[in-house]
Amino acid sequence: NKGVIVSLDPFFHKISALAGKAHRLGITILQPICADLLSNPFCQTFDRVLVDAPCSSMGIIRKHPEIKWQRKEPELSALSSLQMNILENSSHLVKSNGILVYSTCSTEKEETDVVLSQFLDQNPVFQVVSCLEEIPENLHSAVGKDGFLRILPHPHGMDGFFIAKLKKDRINMI
């Protein structure tokens, strides 16, 4: 319960639920804000930024099989564009030598590898940092040579997730 955690979500019910859970757990460092990141609501930078991107949720299909009937292929393109915009806006909130984590509960390439590849091409100040140090040893096999964590339901017995850890390199900042 040290430091400050700023949580941003455009949906009031999600922010309200988070604030309630934090209060129940005695967490006093949370500052929940109902706002849209695309509107650039901050004029400060942070040591760590976590982007839990809106996605197709295809990674949690085993718990929510109705997803396969609700999602349409054109949505992936729209979601990829939204994710890229959110990631780009989030990148400006990261301090020099800070960490940006991009996470989705999707394993679709359009929402994971494609978004990260495009982002890194456009933002050379960010470098991939392997996720190995932060995860349990039994998930080390889920980290690819590129350093991204890809949890898949069939080999890992969990919902599908994609996580990329990026460091903002002060040396490459111009």
Side-chain angles (χ1 to χ4, degrees), residues 10 19 23 25 38 47 99 106 110-111 130 143 148 153 162 170:
H23 178 75
L25 294 170
L38 297 177
D47 297 315
I99 299 293
S106 176
E110 296 90 340
E111 299 178 274
S130 176
V143 178
F148 301 150
F162 174 88
R170 172 180 47 175

Side-chain angles (χ1 to χ4, degrees), residues 53-55 79-87 102 110-111 115:
C55 66
L79 282 168
S80 294
S81 178
L82 175 62
Q83 292 159 347
M84 186 61 191
N85 288 336
I86 290 171
L87 194 53
Y102 174 77
E110 296 90 340
E111 299 178 274
V115 171

Side-chain angles (χ1 to χ4, degrees), residues 88-106:
E88 184 65 38
N89 280 12
S90 299
S91 72
H92 301 294
L93 301 176
V94 181
K95 289 181 180 177
S96 174
N97 288 322
I99 299 293
L100 174 61
V101 173
Y102 174 77
S103 175
T104 68
C105 62
S106 176

Side-chain angles (χ1 to χ4, degrees), residues 123-162:
N123 295 277
V125 70
F126 283 92
Q127 304 299 316
V128 177
V129 178
S130 176
C131 297
L132 282 174
E133 291 182 18
E134 282 78 32
I135 61 171
E137 193 172 317
N138 65 328
L139 286 177
H140 283 194
S141 64
V143 178
K145 291 179 183 176
D146 54 12
F148 301 150
L149 175 64
R150 292 177 184 85
I151 299 173
L152 301 172
H154 52 286
H156 302 113
M158 302 168 59
D159 288 335
F161 283 92
F162 174 88

Side-chain angles (χ1 to χ4, degrees), residues 19-110:
K21 290 175 185 174
H23 178 75
R24 182 178 53 82
L25 294 170
I27 298 170
T28 59
I29 62 171
L30 179 69
Q31 295 179 4
I33 299 171
C34 186
D36 188 341
L37 183 63
L38 297 177
S39 66
N40 296 317
F42 296 110
C43 58
Q44 68 191 83
T45 56
F46 301 89
D47 297 315
R48 307 276 187 270
V49 175
L50 167 63
V51 174
D52 182 10
C55 66
S56 67
S57 304
M58 295 302 279
I60 60 171
I61 202 165
R62 69 185 192 148
K63 286 184 181 174
H64 299 280
E66 70 279 5
I67 290 171
K68 63 184 160 190
W69 291 289
Q70 295 172 342
R71 300 291 184 250
K72 306 288 184 242
E73 197 166 326
E75 287 180 60
L76 288 180
S77 178
L79 282 168
S80 294
S81 178
L82 175 62
Q83 292 159 347
M84 186 61 191
N85 288 336
I86 290 171
L87 194 53
E88 184 65 38
N89 280 12
S90 299
S91 72
H92 301 294
L93 301 176
V94 181
K95 289 181 180 177
S96 174
N97 288 322
I99 299 293
L100 174 61
V101 173
Y102 174 77
S103 175
T104 68
C105 62
S106 176
T107 56
E108 299 297 313
K109 293 235 183 264
E110 296 90 340

